[in-house]
Amino acid sequence: MNLRRIRVVAYKEWREIVRDRLFFALAFVVPSLLMLLFGYGLSLDVENIPLAIVDYDQSVQSRDYAHKFTDSRYFSFQGYAQREQELEKLVIDNSLRAVIIIPPRFGEDLRAGRSTSVQTWIDGTFPFRALTAKGYVTAINAAINLDALSAHFSALTGASRDSIRAALQPVRMETRYLYNQEVKSIWSIAPKLIMVILMLSPPFLTALGVVREKESGAIYNVYSSTLSRGEYLIGKLLPYVAISVVNACALTAFALLLFGAPFKGDPLFFLLSTILYVVCTTGIGLLVSVMVNTQVAAMVGTAIVTVVPAVLYSGMIIPIPSLSAVASVIAHLLPGMYYAEIAMGSFLKGVGFASLWLDLLILALYATALFTAGFLAFHKRPNT
């Protein structure tokens, strides 16, 4: 292994990247652009749900009931309607996502101590959003019921509302959110976006960088040279690893400064993990590049093995424990899940090597296996 030869190959590859403006933009601009687009466009927070109310009763009690919903930050009140038929079109064209229908004699029934029913429409086209909205409605309605019962029994017995409320709730649940006290989805999404983008960009760069030499015929200079396979591959990968590490630093800065995600872990451990992960993803691009001969095939092949795993099998959208048995096995066979665990632990949980050493070890083994596979698949005397 000649370090001078590796350095020459790496310098030549760097010059190729700088000379090609489109490739240079793909290398440095696209990852940051993806971080901005996904960071500002992707949110799992369910707030400001468009809500309208039909109040057939028009009593003090019905207005108080409606006010509990209109005053909530989870709903964006769009106004009252005379009949629910007026709102059907608004629900169909997505102007409304929820409707509360208060029946006639609502206030009279409450004053008489009788139970009454309130109808709720929730747009179910987005199941996650619909279930969350149902949870908001149920929680607000439960709070209203508790207030009504405490007021009713307070009037009957003369006891204070607080004592009656405590008696009606013998077991009180107090929830404490760990690691993400404000429950901001962007704090969880931003670290995982680093994982996704580093799964997409380095393999594309590496695969295109190797395959374009095949298309141009420049690869035959390598075939006829005294370069060994290892010297060529290491020199070829080094610029892309370095570029991807620089991009990872920029993505981390975006997560911290633009999206406000906290970083509680060890920066050196996170940097080491990022370098290993980048070596893994560039190794994926290397493996694809030695199997195909055109840039179009390289892009398609890289997209197949990176885009879907990065989004569906890494915990980005669906938590790993929620995956099916087969999907969970696939997730454990890919590096994205392990780096996502490291990113989340470093950003939100403040843990380091002591807790995440196994994930780091798996990334190291994965990087070694990918480079070995690429080394064995690349031949200086290709089959003709």
Side-chain angles (χ1 to χ4, degrees), residues 73-91:
R73 69 183 178 92
Y74 298 113
F75 294 99
S76 175
F77 182 54
Q78 304 299 306
Y80 287 95
Q82 298 298 319
R83 296 180 303 276
E84 59 261 38
Q85 289 79 7
E86 300 174 13
L87 303 178
E88 290 181 357
K89 184 178 180 181
L90 296 177
V91 175

Side-chain angles (χ1 to χ4, degrees), residues 21 29 55-56 61 136 139 157 163 216 228 234 242 260 277 321 372 376:
R21 293 182 179 179
V29 177
D55 185 359
Y56 286 117
Q61 288 77 11
Y136 295 157
T157 63
S163 61
S216 66
S228 68
I234 294 175
Y277 181 61
T372 302
L376 295 176

